[in-house]
Amino acid sequence: MSTKKESFKSFEELDCWKACRDVRQYVAKLVKKYPPEEKFRIVDDMLRAARSATHNIAEGFGRYHYQENVQFCRHSRGSLHELKDQLICSFDEGFISKDECEQGITLVDTALALLNGYINYLSRRKQRITNNE
């Protein structure tokens, strides 16, 4: 029996996807208290960015090629940065408290760190395969 960790069988096993899921769930709960007139403004933007973060990780995982997977993870990273700006904007406009903003940013920063680690892992794996061919 081998103790070596086998490759991931599902995107749901990825820590970066799990962290992005936490972000998505936080945002979905947070925006419920926004003013109704923001439903098709910042609320829609935030929900789309939060969902995009997990969606792109899942789609990239399904591509099976390292470079394509990395590219989708970069899209996910962009969505997380967009969401960070939307949290700051929400605070600036008085929709959320400083604590809610900081909690959201902490979740986003955690997801970004894990996602960057996964991107680095994929890049190293691609490099190893390229060097062995």
Side-chain angles (χ1 to χ4, degrees), residues 19-73:
C20 287
R21 182 181 185 201
D22 291 343
V23 169
R24 189 185 72 221
Q25 291 172 329
Y26 179 78
V27 168
K29 183 178 176 184
L30 185 68
V31 298
K32 288 181 180 176
K33 65 182 235 166
Y34 280 52
E37 64 271 13
E38 290 298 324
K39 182 177 181 181
F40 297 109
R41 296 177 185 161
I42 197 164
V43 168
D44 187 53
D45 290 344
M46 290 177 74
L47 290 172
R48 285 175 185 270
R51 291 172 180 166
S52 177
T54 55
H55 294 342
N56 278 299
I57 292 169
E59 186 169 355
F61 186 89
R63 295 298 175 123
Y64 299 111
H65 291 88
Y66 291 113
Q67 192 56 45
E68 282 185 286
N69 196 344
V70 167
Q71 189 58 39
F72 277 95
C73 288

Side-chain angles (χ1 to χ4, degrees), residues 6-132:
E6 299 299 320
S7 63
F8 299 105
K9 295 184 183 348
S10 168
F11 65 85
E12 295 162 295
E13 297 175 45
L14 300 172
D15 289 338
C16 61
W17 181 85
K18 292 174 188 177
C20 287
R21 182 181 185 201
D22 291 343
V23 169
R24 189 185 72 221
Q25 291 172 329
Y26 179 78
V27 168
K29 183 178 176 184
L30 185 68
V31 298
K32 288 181 180 176
K33 65 182 235 166
Y34 280 52
E37 64 271 13
E38 290 298 324
K39 182 177 181 181
F40 297 109
R41 296 177 185 161
I42 197 164
V43 168
D44 187 53
D45 290 344
M46 290 177 74
L47 290 172
R48 285 175 185 270
R51 291 172 180 166
S52 177
T54 55
H55 294 342
N56 278 299
I57 292 169
E59 186 169 355
F61 186 89
R63 295 298 175 123
Y64 299 111
H65 291 88
Y66 291 113
Q67 192 56 45
E68 282 185 286
N69 196 344
V70 167
Q71 189 58 39
F72 277 95
C73 288
R74 287 178 179 150
H75 289 296
S76 180
R77 186 169 57 193
S79 294
L80 289 170
H81 281 285
E82 178 183 356
L83 186 54
K84 193 173 188 177
D85 180 64
Q86 291 160 344
L87 286 164
I88 294 166
C89 181
S90 294
F91 170 70
D92 290 347
E93 294 187 23
F95 302 142
I96 60 175
S97 69
K98 182 177 182 180
D99 288 342
E100 290 168 322
C101 181
E102 288 174 354
Q103 184 178 354
I105 287 173
T106 298
L107 287 169
V108 168
D109 286 344
T110 299
L112 282 167
L114 290 167
L115 186 56
N116 284 330
Y118 183 56
I119 290 169
N120 289 336
Y121 162 80
L122 292 171
S123 297
R124 287 190 309 270
R125 295 279 302 208
K126 179 184 178 237
Q127 190 64 37
R128 282 188 206 132
I129 288 174
T130 302
N131 289 340
N132 290 334

